Amino acid sequence: MSNLKTLVFFATPAHDCSYLPGRAATTMFVDPRARVDKHLYSQLTTLGFRRSGHNYYRPHCETCNACVPVRLNVHHLQPDRNQRRVWRKNQDLTCTLVPAAYSDEYYALYERYIEQRHDDGDMFPPSREQFTSFLVDGATDTWFLEMRLHGALVGLAVVDELDDGLSAIYTVFDPDMEQRSLGTFAVLWQAEEIRRRGATYLYLGYWIAECRKMNYKTRFQPLESLIKGRWRVQ
């Protein structure tokens, strides 16, 4: 099994940034041949890495540090009035954690979400292969949070187990259910699950101040950011 001392990292050539138009980006990847268990994955996450399928990566740009890893200490989380309203509104949902796997039901929801909410992004057009390689392949201690209303699947959140909590990988929801704010609800539900487990952190990936689609992350307070190798409250 690999460890931090034996890992080999690779950097990509400069490529177009997915978040900031007109900028170039470089990404650092863990050697895909490395055997990454839950403990090593947890260590990498505290260093700012994320998982996408089989790949563990983090931004490695020479002249830009816009991508800031962020996390929540769920024991300090203070939901605002809107978040409390979202929590109450969705108490009629049935939420269940199930092992990550492909199903036509999951893909149909994913496809609708990408086509109607992210038709201008890198993940458009969606495909079954994309869904599997992004959300199922390489899964280590990974779960799908099903959100169902009267039996119908209306939301799906992908979460990874870590030594100190959970990592929120991706969330999709029925575009017709936008008024329920299921993305916000999924974060609040995961925070509750972490508390139930006696763990501490919910890792939310990267926050970019100039990226409007990431503004929702700053609504969860107090939010911790990884800056110059140290986690600090924003």
Side-chain angles (χ1 to χ4, degrees):
M1 189 61 62
S2 302
N3 58 58
L4 283 178
K5 292 182 179 180
T6 62
L7 281 181
V8 176
F9 300 90
F10 298 98
T12 67
H15 53 86
D16 290 340
C17 180
S18 300
Y19 300 107
L20 300 175
R23 297 197 194 182
T26 303
T27 306
M28 178 187 293
F29 284 94
V30 173
D31 186 342
R33 296 169 296 183
R35 296 179 59 193
V36 179
D37 63 5
K38 177 179 166 183
H39 180 61
L40 180 55
Y41 179 23
S42 300
Q43 292 178 301
L44 287 167
T45 302
T46 62
L47 294 174
F49 281 79
R50 294 286 285 171
R51 181 183 72 84
S52 176
H54 290 285
N55 297 311
Y56 299 86
Y57 69 95
R58 65 168 296 169
H60 189 63
C61 305
E62 290 186 6
T63 60
C64 178
N65 57 4
C67 295
V68 181
V70 291
R71 71 183 184 185
L72 290 171
N73 182 326
V74 301
H75 302 288
H76 297 160
L77 177 61
Q78 299 175 0
D80 61 22
R81 178 181 299 179
N82 180 66
Q83 290 162 351
R84 294 194 298 270
R85 180 186 59 81
V86 169
W87 181 257
R88 292 192 300 269
K89 177 184 287 189
N90 288 292
Q91 290 308 296
D92 57 346
L93 298 181
T94 300
C95 298
T96 310
L97 284 174
V98 300
Y102 174 86
S103 79
D104 289 340
E105 182 185 35
Y106 295 156
Y107 177 70
L109 182 66
Y110 174 85
E111 182 179 45
R112 287 191 63 207
Y113 177 80
I114 296 297
E115 288 181 344
Q116 296 188 37
R117 301 274 301 189
H118 293 286
D119 60 355
D120 59 346
D122 293 342
M123 298 169 69
F124 183 85
S127 69
R128 288 173 174 80
E129 293 74 20
Q130 177 197 73
F131 175 92
T132 301
S133 64
F134 176 32
L135 301 178
V136 180
D137 288 352
T140 301
D141 298 300
T142 299
W143 300 84
F144 284 176
L145 168 61
E146 295 181 347
M147 293 168 269
R148 295 184 179 273
L149 180 63
H150 308 308
L153 184 69
V154 296
L156 190 71
V158 186
V159 296
D160 285 349
E161 288 187 28
L162 301 172
D163 289 346
D164 57 356
L166 297 174
S167 177
I169 301 299
Y170 202 65
T171 300
V172 301
F173 54 83
D174 185 339
D176 293 338
M177 298 284 178
E178 183 174 3
Q179 75 281 359
R180 282 182 171 265
S181 301
L182 291 176
T184 295
F185 175 72
V187 171
L188 296 172
W189 192 96
Q190 290 168 65
E192 283 295 315
E193 175 66 11
I194 292 167
R195 279 191 284 264
R196 187 189 69 79
R197 295 178 179 207
T200 304
Y201 295 111
L202 176 59
Y203 291 86
L204 296 176
Y206 302 114
W207 170 72
I208 301 174
E210 298 176 52
C211 183
R212 182 174 53 84
K213 291 181 179 180
M214 293 189 180
N215 287 347
Y216 77 93
K217 297 182 183 183
T218 61
R219 299 183 189 126
F220 296 95
Q221 293 293 329
L223 190 67
E224 295 185 10
S225 304
L226 183 62
I227 300 174
K228 295 183 178 179
R230 293 185 58 188
W231 288 97
R232 308 177 186 183
V233 174
Q234 281 192 351

